[in-house]
Amino acid sequence: MTDSNTPLLELEGIGKFYGNIIALQGVTTEVLAGKVTCVLGDNGAGKSTFIKILAGVHRHDAGKFKLEGKEVNFGSPREALDSGIAAVYQDLAMVPLMSVWRNFFLGTEPTKSLGPLNWIDAKKARRIAKEEMAKMGIDIRDTEQPVGTLSGGERQSVAIARAVYFGAKVLILDEPTSALGVKQSGVVLKYIVEAAKRGLGVIFITHNPNHAWPVGDRFLILNRGQSMGNFAKEEISIGELTQLMAGGAELEQLQRDLEEAIASKGSTS
């Protein structure tokens, strides 16, 4: 039994190396129950490597990775999942032509038995799927409909509710809003907040500070495999967050180049 003040996850100086190539170095942050830790960075920042270490796909080569106060080094995704760390990736690992409730369970459906015979209890599975999604504020009209007919935000919500139902303590969301419009992104952000309200520690991976800021309690900024800082919300502004993500000087240079391009366009028109 862990103390209620003990972070669900603690990462201290985490690093991952491929020969002489540094994929990740010096990454420190923590994930608390009922809170959202946002991990921000552009493409190539190290976000994918970070996720894979947490989810058990890769072992870290440096630093300490603690789960509820105990040091861990997962050897497989199954080890991480059995320990309560669930990752929802961009592709969602869903079967578009299968129903919502079948995708909710994906091989772990409740069953009935009679002697040596076993079969899926479809009625129970449909009921559980609908109830669990309703608890997250998700209203799916018909759990028999193919999951491919749902919007992007609704598919994300099914994956989130599934992770919560199957006992996740830590929920990792890999760029869940990257391919969505404004309205659907807002829907997913609402479900992120709901997952945190249910007591999960949520890790929200994104390259969009405008999505991270409203829901985040802590912000870890990555740039080319290096940590640019680890901040509680009261320690940083959204402007500073954006500057750190872009590397500060690089963003200022880009703004100057853009202003010059606009000015030159005006002079030739």
Side-chain angles (χ1 to χ4, degrees), residues 102 128 201 218 249:
R102 291 300 297 266
I128 290 173
R218 177 166 289 279

Side-chain angles (χ1 to χ4, degrees), residues 67-90:
L67 174 64
E68 296 182 303
K70 296 180 181 179
E71 195 164 345
V72 294
N73 195 339
F74 297 125
S76 70
R78 172 51 59 184
E79 281 186 37
L81 189 59
D82 288 346
S83 298
I85 300 176
V88 176
Y89 296 100
Q90 284 175 292

Side-chain angles (χ1 to χ4, degrees), residues 53-66:
I53 289 172
L54 297 183
V57 178
H58 296 323
R59 292 181 183 272
H60 56 283
D61 299 318
K64 292 182 179 180
F65 176 6
K66 292 182 180 179

Side-chain angles (χ1 to χ4, degrees), residues 21 52 59-60 72-73 76 82 95 127 154 170-171 173 178 185 200 208 215 218 227 252 260-261:
I21 298 172
K52 289 174 181 177
R59 292 181 183 272
H60 56 283
V72 294
N73 195 339
S76 70
D82 288 346
V95 184
R127 175 179 56 78
E154 288 172 328
V170 176
L171 178 62
L173 299 171
S178 63
S185 293
L200 278 73
N208 191 329
V215 301
R218 177 166 289 279
S227 172
E252 289 174 6
E260 288 174 7

Side-chain angles (χ1 to χ4, degrees), residues 69-132:
K70 296 180 181 179
E71 195 164 345
V72 294
N73 195 339
F74 297 125
S76 70
R78 172 51 59 184
E79 281 186 37
L81 189 59
D82 288 346
S83 298
I85 300 176
V88 176
Y89 296 100
Q90 284 175 292
D91 59 14
L92 297 177
M94 288 188 175
V95 184
L97 295 179
M98 285 175 59
S99 67
V100 171
W101 71 265
R102 291 300 297 266
N103 273 278
F104 186 90
F105 286 97
L106 278 182
T108 57
E109 295 88 352
T111 59
K112 286 182 175 180
S113 61
L114 181 63
L117 301 176
N118 289 279
W119 64 94
I120 294 172
D121 188 342
K123 183 178 180 180
K124 182 178 180 180
R126 287 193 292 268
R127 175 179 56 78
I128 290 173
K130 192 169 184 66
E131 287 176 354
E132 290 302 314

Side-chain angles (χ1 to χ4, degrees), residues 132-186:
E132 290 302 314
M133 288 188 286
K135 289 177 185 177
M136 294 283 295
I138 303 160
D139 181 22
I140 297 294
R141 295 172 296 281
D142 181 8
T143 58
E144 284 287 1
Q145 69 187 99
V147 82
T149 65
L150 301 180
S151 69
E154 288 172 328
R155 287 196 296 274
Q156 286 282 352
S157 73
V158 172
I160 293 170
R162 180 174 68 192
V164 173
Y165 175 71
F166 284 104
K169 298 175 184 176
V170 176
L171 178 62
I172 305 168
L173 299 171
D174 175 23
E175 298 274 10
T177 60
S178 63
L180 303 181
V182 174
K183 183 177 180 180
Q184 288 298 317
S185 293

